[in-house]
């Protein structure tokens, strides 16, 4: 191999990191739209960042381009997109009138997201982490945190009328992220053959709702996710705050 060839990186090895940086750009732009009070655009960008977050790891594995650098970059991007951006967005949308009270819960949520990602980095090499997550993952936590906004946009209620309740919800989501409850990992998800048809039909319905009732769809998705969490929360009972 020529000496100068050693200083060149194959482009395919860089693709996962480019995808991660793109997701980070969406998170930063969501903050910009938040400051401009363009809340729906900001929420959409965070949702798109969540989709990208699911893609970069998959692309890295398919291209055999996984690296410690990529993993750390992904975690930093996740903290911005699913810790900082949702916290600021919810504060600006529903908690601004509560001043210090609401901001305290934003700090709790963002701090929990940071701790959750740090723990994930430490545990990612453990075989058990492939079967399930410990605590609610940061992207899912962002989806839970944005539930008050989904409800408002879907005209099911107005979260801005109950800022104290929104603040408590944000703190609860943060608690779930740093908890020791075991939540399912998509990598370990198995669908019974008899349910494949229902999964396909459900996907068609979801795609239709994306273009017609996207906020109602997001409310439904969050409710389903919370329902899936309930057995784990029940089993953990008084252990949620440990660890």
């Amino acid at each position: 191999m020529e000496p100068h060839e050693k200083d060149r990186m194959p482009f395919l090895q860089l693709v996962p990191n480019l995808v991660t940086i793109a997701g980070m750009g969406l998170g930063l732009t969501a903050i910009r739209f938040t400051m401009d009070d363009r809340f729906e655009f900001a929420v959409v960008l965070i949702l798109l960042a969540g989709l990208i977050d699911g893609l970069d790891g998959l692309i890295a594995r398919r291209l055999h381009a996984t690296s410690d650098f990529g993993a750390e970059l992904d975690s930093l991007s996740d903290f911005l997109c699913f810790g900082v951006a949702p916290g600021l967005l919810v504060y600006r949308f529903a908690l601004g009138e509560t001043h210090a009270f609401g901001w305290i819960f934003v700090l709790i949520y963002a701090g929990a997201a940071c701790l959750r990602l740090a723990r994930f980095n430490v545990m990612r090499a453990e075989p058990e982490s492939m079967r399930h997550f410990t605590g609610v993952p940061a992207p899912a936590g962002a989806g839970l945190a944005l539930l008050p906004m989904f409800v408002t946009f879907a005209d099911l209620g107005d979260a801005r009328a109950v800022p104290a309740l929104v603040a408590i919800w944000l703190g609860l989501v943060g608690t779930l992220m740093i908890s020791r409850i075991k939540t399912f990992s998509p990598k370990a998800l198995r669908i019974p053959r008899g349910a494949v048809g229902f999964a396909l039909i459900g996907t068609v319905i979801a795609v239709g709702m994306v273009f017609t009732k996207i906020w109602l769809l997001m409310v439904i998705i969050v409710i389903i996710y919370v329902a899936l969490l309930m057995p784990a929360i029940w089993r953990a009972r008084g252990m949620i705050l440990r660890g």
Side-chain angles (χ1 to χ4, degrees):
M1 181 181 294
E2 295 293 332
H4 67 275
E5 289 293 329
K6 296 180 181 179
D7 296 328
R8 297 182 180 181
M9 175 183 292
F11 177 74
L12 290 181
Q13 295 290 309
L14 192 59
V15 169
N17 293 336
L18 294 177
V19 174
T20 301
I21 290 294
M24 185 189 70
L26 292 178
L28 282 169
T29 307
I31 294 175
R32 181 214 167 189
F33 280 127
T34 297
M35 296 300 102
D36 290 340
D37 293 338
R38 300 172 68 180
F39 300 118
E40 292 194 20
F41 284 104
V43 172
V44 168
L45 290 178
I46 292 175
L47 295 178
L48 290 176
L51 291 177
I52 286 180
D53 181 65
L55 287 176
D56 57 5
L58 178 63
I59 292 173
R61 289 189 293 274
R62 291 293 183 267
L63 296 178
H64 303 289
T66 56
S67 65
D68 290 337
F69 175 84
E72 297 299 331
L73 179 64
D74 183 64
S75 289
L76 291 172
S77 175
D78 284 357
F79 177 57
L80 172 69
C81 296
F82 311 125
V84 177
L88 291 175
L89 179 52
V90 173
Y91 178 80
R92 182 85 174 181
F93 180 76
L95 302 180
E97 297 299 324
T98 64
H99 302 297
F101 176 77
W103 185 247
I104 288 172
F105 284 91
V106 171
L107 293 178
I108 291 172
Y109 169 80
C114 183
L115 293 173
R116 171 67 183 82
L117 290 163
R119 185 173 64 190
F120 176 77
N121 284 352
V122 173
M123 298 178 61
R124 64 173 175 246
E126 299 180 10
E128 189 178 13
S129 66
M130 299 294 290
R131 297 193 296 272
H132 60 75
F133 294 119
T134 300
V136 172
L144 292 174
L146 294 174
L147 176 61
M149 301 187 70
F150 298 153
V151 170
T152 303
F153 296 157
D155 293 326
L156 300 176
D158 191 349
R160 291 166 291 191
V162 285
L165 186 59
V166 174
I168 293 171
W169 171 253
L170 205 59
L172 177 61
V173 174
T175 301
L176 289 173
M177 285 196 289
I178 61 173
S179 71
R180 303 296 297 183
I181 64 173
K182 292 179 172 56
T183 59
F184 71 91
S185 169
K187 300 174 187 176
L189 190 61
R190 298 291 183 270
I191 300 177
R193 292 186 180 276
V196 170
F198 293 104
L200 296 176
I201 293 299
T203 300
V204 172
I205 294 173
V207 170
M209 293 185 70
V210 165
F211 297 100
T212 56
K213 297 285 185 179
I214 183 172
W215 303 123
L216 178 59
L217 172 64
M218 296 310 303
V219 171
I220 293 172
I221 290 175
V222 171
I223 290 174
I224 292 173
Y225 185 74
V226 171
L228 293 174
L229 288 180
M230 292 311 296
I233 294 174
W234 177 254
R235 287 193 298 269
R237 299 198 270 288
M239 300 174 61
I240 291 180
L241 292 177
R242 291 186 187 176

